[in-house]
Amino acid sequence: MLVQQLKSKIHRAMITRGDVDYEGSIEIPADLMAAVDLWPGEKVLVASVTSGNRLETYVLEGPPGTGQIIMNGGAAHLIKTGERVVIMSFALSEERLVAKKIICNEHNEIIS
């Protein structure tokens, strides 16, 4: 039986910018994506720790080392600049997965 499980988690990241005119998605720096094995175009659940809003979108790869996490499109109305978020992706597997997880500080640097 296939079970949907947590695959990747970026915990307490900070949204640094929003662009409602962009067609959609969330831009995440390549170094953070690599740390949790997120792929460009991968579907993610973004949950705001600040407002409680939750939404699904897909990942765009941003330049590494910038700390810029950008909420694009209509989603920028729900999750705004300055909000803390948890970004999660899930996978189907018959085996138990060990999720890759990181915790970020207010500058989106990995602290754990």
Side-chain angles (χ1 to χ4, degrees):
M1 169 178 58
L2 292 173
V3 177
Q4 189 172 26
Q5 302 170 64
L6 181 67
K7 176 183 107 24
S8 307
K9 180 178 177 182
I10 301 174
H11 191 69
R12 295 194 57 82
M14 180 76 72
I15 300 297
T16 57
R17 189 162 57 98
D19 184 354
V20 296
D21 293 322
Y22 193 85
E23 66 186 53
S25 69
I26 185 169
E27 183 177 308
I28 302 171
D31 54 321
L32 298 182
M33 290 176 60
V36 295
D37 193 28
L38 278 176
W39 301 354
E42 186 170 354
K43 179 179 166 181
V44 290
L45 172 64
V46 183
S48 173
V49 176
T50 307
S51 68
N53 286 325
R54 298 167 72 91
L55 58 91
E56 291 181 338
T57 189
Y58 62 93
V59 175
L60 283 179
E61 184 175 37
T66 64
Q68 298 294 305
I69 297 182
I70 304 166
M71 186 62 62
N72 292 312
H77 290 292
L78 293 176
I79 299 178
K80 300 179 182 332
T81 301
E83 290 192 34
R84 289 282 200 163
V85 296
V86 180
I87 303 165
M88 299 164 276
S89 74
F90 299 85
L92 292 171
S93 178
E94 290 182 346
E95 305 295 323
R96 285 184 184 229
L97 297 179
V98 177
K100 294 186 178 183
K101 303 174 188 178
I102 59 172
I103 300 173
C104 293
N105 66 14
E106 64 276 3
H107 304 292
N108 292 324
E109 299 165 328
I110 299 170
I111 58 172
S112 170

